[in-house]
Amino acid sequence: MPTDEWRQLFDSGTEEIGVLVYAGLFLAEDAQVQRILRKKAKAGARVRILLGDPEDAHVAERGEEEGVGNAVAVKIHNALVLYRGLLDLPGIEFRLHRTVLYNSIYRADDRLFVNTHVYGVPAAQAPVWHLRKVPGGELASHYLDSFERVWNEATPTTEA
């Protein structure tokens, strides 16, 4: 996915922006994405970012499956450091989750990018679906409900 697509997704959100990943380091490293998140929160959007708990066994298992050892946990720590300027801003919430991720979810209101995970393949090399929630449709709702379940079980964090 071109970088501009990610920026456009988040810039299109007015009420709800959400990210569910293990690390999503490419977003944390993008200063423009961080500016967009800051701007959206200031304008009243709810911004929620779920990162994997770097101490969780699922994170370690994903690293082993991808053949990168503890790199996934290191990327999560790196992402938290890079997000340091957003961690205590009003309207932006961070939580650490301890779930198996079958996909990563990126949300801006009713638009979603869903990065499907493929066994043994880094997320950056796996397909991304672009979904929209439509009246009567169920597919996008399944992913939005999944995001909410993980959010509700995750632990708030304000530390880098």
Side-chain angles (χ1 to χ4, degrees):
M1 292 275 298
T3 303
D4 284 346
E5 292 292 327
W6 297 100
R7 293 174 182 161
Q8 287 174 16
L9 174 72
F10 297 127
D11 204 30
S12 73
T14 59
E15 296 178 22
E16 178 81 30
I17 294 171
V19 174
L20 168 58
V21 293
Y22 274 135
L25 187 57
F26 73 102
L27 293 177
E29 291 174 329
D30 189 324
Q32 190 169 346
V33 166
Q34 288 204 32
R35 281 192 292 277
I36 290 167
L37 297 177
R38 187 177 290 112
K39 175 183 81 170
K40 292 299 178 171
K42 188 175 183 181
R46 183 180 189 194
V47 178
R48 297 185 291 168
I49 300 174
L50 280 157
L51 301 175
D53 182 335
E55 306 304 319
D56 184 45
H58 296 108
V59 169
E61 186 175 358
R62 179 60 55 92
E64 292 305 316
E65 290 170 356
E66 292 181 4
V68 296
N70 71 343
V72 178
V74 171
K75 287 179 184 181
I76 295 166
H77 284 292
N78 194 9
L80 284 166
V81 169
L82 292 168
Y83 280 132
R84 189 175 26 226
L86 302 180
L87 286 171
D88 59 356
L89 290 180
I92 300 179
E93 301 171 80
F94 284 83
R95 290 189 181 180
L96 298 179
H97 68 86
R98 300 176 69 83
T99 58
V100 174
L101 275 192
Y102 300 104
N103 50 68
S104 296
I105 300 171
Y106 308 86
R107 173 189 190 178
D109 298 333
D110 290 339
R111 292 179 58 206
L112 293 93
F113 287 169
V114 177
N115 181 203
T116 63
H117 293 182
V118 178
Y119 183 81
V121 176
Q125 297 173 11
V128 175
W129 301 335
H130 183 185
L131 306 175
R132 290 182 191 271
K133 184 176 181 188
V134 295
E138 294 182 9
L139 186 57
S141 294
H142 288 307
Y143 289 102
L144 292 171
D145 291 346
S146 175
F147 182 98
E148 292 302 326
R149 283 192 300 274
V150 175
W151 181 261
N152 290 333
E153 295 176 9
T155 305
T157 187
T158 57
E159 296 183 29

